[in-house]
Amino acid sequence: MDFTMLKNYLDKITNWRIPGAAVMVFKDGKEVYKYASGYSDVENKIPMTCNETVNVYSCSKVVTCVAAMQLLERGIFLLDDPIYDFIPEFKEMYVKDENGELKKAEKAITMRHLFTMSAGLNYNLENPGFKKAYKLTNGKMNTLTAIKCLAEEPIDFEPGTRWQYSLCHDVLAAAVEVISGMEFGKYVQKNIFDPLGIKNATFKRTDDVKERISQQYNYVEKYDENKILIPAGDGGYWENIGKDVEYAPGIEYESGGAGLVISFPDYAKFGDALAHFGKCPNGERILSKGAVELMRQDQLGPFGITGYNWEHLVGTGYGLGVRTMVNTAVGGTTGPLGEFGWDGAGGCLTVIDPDNEFSVFYGQHMTNSQGPIVKARVRNVAYACMNI
């Protein structure tokens, strides 16, 4: 193993548009490489260290789907069970057509639809349901109340007919909460994070948690005198945008889709466990081998991932909450079929390869993350360094 190319690539992008980047690589249950480049705090020239705590945004989704898969393993639900079995407010749904007219949905939203982003939901956080929940909870927005109010909103298409990135995994988190009888974050801590020895992770953004989060940036191409901007390497600028995320609309809302705050090493531990078919280093399991295999099987078939120009997802299908490599030629990847994972708006990326007991966690903390350029390249370079 020679990771010179991976080091060089991180150095290249932090001299370009990325303020700071870090990578952790695991093989056969061992950390074989970690490297950080650039700054976690550009203003104060604090270097990246691979120990930062960040908003992982949509990398939260993989954790949420593992939590739900645990309940499937226990026989509590089947994939084609309707969500209204657990959240009755989803019993009667309406589809809004192109003319704004409503008609009753012919199919119920199922657990499978939530896993696979095919429920007809969208990612409108300004929906009337959430606004109602905000008033009902005096701004606290506890997860279950928010999702019950969301169920009052019409959906965009008949469930199961296409893929659309959405709040599906936030609804899935609420289902976990109902089924388990525990707050979603507490369930995840007890059943996923504790077996892995993960302590620095939460879905609740209290003041002490926000204090631990690294500085978060946005890349700006042109100078704006109304903003405090820091020159970037390519002639653009970085703007410090604070530590909040729009996907956490209240202090009690635990967003299964984008709300996780966690350190780089802790998320890397989680990815490594999935690369061992759910087995933790201490011998405990967070999932069975069969459940991991089911997660990484493409569920969408011919309609595939649609609606986003995500070049780093070329060649992938979508399983139960994860992208999964289905065509290496189209994907132009140096990795194998069945490699899976997801990424996030702040730039984090998880690469999970159980067949080779190999995983990568790449992290940065910049929205408009340059993902289509960076993420597939990180994956290719990491595989090249391993020569798998």
Side-chain angles (χ1 to χ4, degrees):
M1 293 178 283
D2 180 353
F3 290 98
T4 303
M5 289 190 297
L6 190 54
K7 175 186 182 299
N8 290 345
Y9 185 70
L10 264 64
D11 288 342
K12 177 181 178 180
I13 60 177
T14 56
N15 282 310
W16 173 59
R17 293 184 175 181
I18 311 301
V23 68
M24 302 186 73
V25 182
F26 283 73
K27 179 74 171 75
D28 300 328
K30 298 178 181 179
E31 179 190 293
V32 294
Y33 185 68
K34 70 177 180 180
Y35 179 68
S37 182
Y39 298 100
S40 64
D41 183 331
V42 177
E43 295 93 323
N44 295 300
K45 301 297 182 185
I46 298 174
M48 290 285 282
T49 65
C50 287
N51 292 314
E52 284 75 15
T53 295
V54 298
N55 302 306
V56 293
Y57 289 91
S58 287
C59 277
S60 308
K61 292 175 168 65
V62 187
V63 175
T64 298
C65 290
V66 167
M69 288 297 292
Q70 289 180 338
L71 302 175
L72 179 140
E73 285 185 325
R74 296 169 193 171
I76 297 175
F77 69 85
L78 296 174
L79 285 178
D80 294 321
D81 286 348
I83 181 61
Y84 65 68
D85 280 355
F86 310 108
I87 307 177
E89 285 78 4
F90 284 92
K91 176 76 173 180
E92 193 171 89
M93 301 300 293
Y94 288 83
V95 179
K96 180 182 286 189
D97 66 20
E98 295 178 355
N99 299 318
E101 296 181 1
L102 300 180
K103 67 172 184 177
K104 188 174 180 180
E106 297 176 6
K107 298 179 181 178
I109 296 173
T110 66
M111 298 296 283
R112 186 191 301 271
H113 295 149
L114 294 179
F115 275 105
T116 60
M117 295 283 181
S118 58
L121 300 173
N122 56 49
Y123 238 133
N124 174 21
L125 297 170
E126 297 297 321
N127 67 78
F130 271 14
K131 291 179 180 178
K132 176 182 177 180
Y134 191 87
K135 291 180 180 178
L136 289 175
T137 62
N138 294 317
K140 294 181 179 179
M141 288 285 286
N142 69 77
T143 304
L144 195 53
T145 298
I147 295 306
K148 286 181 176 180
C149 290
L150 180 68
E152 298 175 7
E153 297 303 305
I155 54 179
D156 290 353
F157 53 86
E158 191 69 35
T161 56
R162 64 184 176 90
W163 186 92
Q164 179 167 279
Y165 209 45
S166 67
L167 290 164
C168 276
H169 294 164
D170 286 50
V171 179
L172 197 60
V176 170
E177 188 164 304
V178 171
I179 293 168
S180 68
M182 301 173 66
E183 284 187 5
F184 174 66
K186 290 180 179 178
Y187 175 89
V188 170
Q189 184 65 54
K190 179 180 179 180
N191 293 278
I192 297 176
F193 293 155
D194 282 350
L196 287 166
I198 292 173
K199 303 300 182 185
N200 187 12
T202 183
F203 284 87
K204 288 232 176 126
R205 307 174 61 80
T206 57
D207 288 342
D208 63 314
V209 169
K210 288 177 70 173
E211 183 68 25
R212 297 199 305 270
I213 297 173
S214 291
Q215 299 301 322
Q216 182 173 235
Y217 298 91
N218 187 48
Y219 176 76
V220 180
E221 290 189 3
K222 296 181 179 180
Y223 184 75
D224 185 338
E225 63 182 11
N226 297 313
K227 297 178 179 179
I228 299 174
L229 300 177
I230 307 154
D234 74 333
Y237 302 88
W238 294 309
E239 177 190 11
N240 191 318
I241 59 170
K243 300 178 179 183
D244 289 328
V245 298
E246 62 180 314
Y247 305 100
I251 60 173
E252 293 184 2
Y253 187 75
E254 297 183 308
S255 170
L260 180 61
V261 175
I262 190 170
S263 71
F264 287 163
D266 282 339
Y267 199 100
K269 288 179 187 177
F270 170 71
D272 178 58
L274 292 181
H276 286 79
F277 290 107
K279 189 175 182 180
C280 305
N282 64 5
E284 290 190 61
R285 280 195 170 273
I286 57 172
L287 274 186
S288 67
K289 180 178 180 179
V292 175
E293 290 284 21
L294 182 58
M295 282 187 74
R296 66 173 176 158
Q297 289 185 43
D298 179 39
Q299 295 280 327
L300 298 184
F303 59 81
I305 294 176
T306 57
Y308 287 83
N309 184 26
W310 285 338
E311 292 144 5
H312 61 292
L313 295 181
V314 171
T316 69
Y318 198 77
L320 298 179
V322 293
R323 58 156 182 84
T324 184
M325 184 57 63
V326 296
N327 191 321
T328 57
V330 172
T333 179
T334 57
L337 292 171
E339 173 270 319
F340 71 98
W342 198 242
D343 55 275
C348 292
L349 167 72
T350 182
V351 174
I352 301 164
D353 178 357
D355 295 328
N356 290 296
E357 296 187 347
F358 173 66
S359 65
V360 179
F361 183 66
Y362 166 81
Q364 59 180 64
H365 212 209
M366 187 181 80
T367 56
N368 66 353
S369 63
Q370 314 301 303
I373 297 171
V374 172
K375 292 171 183 176
R377 286 173 169 82
V378 166
R379 184 179 63 207
N380 278 353
V381 176
Y383 269 106
C385 290
M386 292 297 299
N387 196 31
I388 292 176

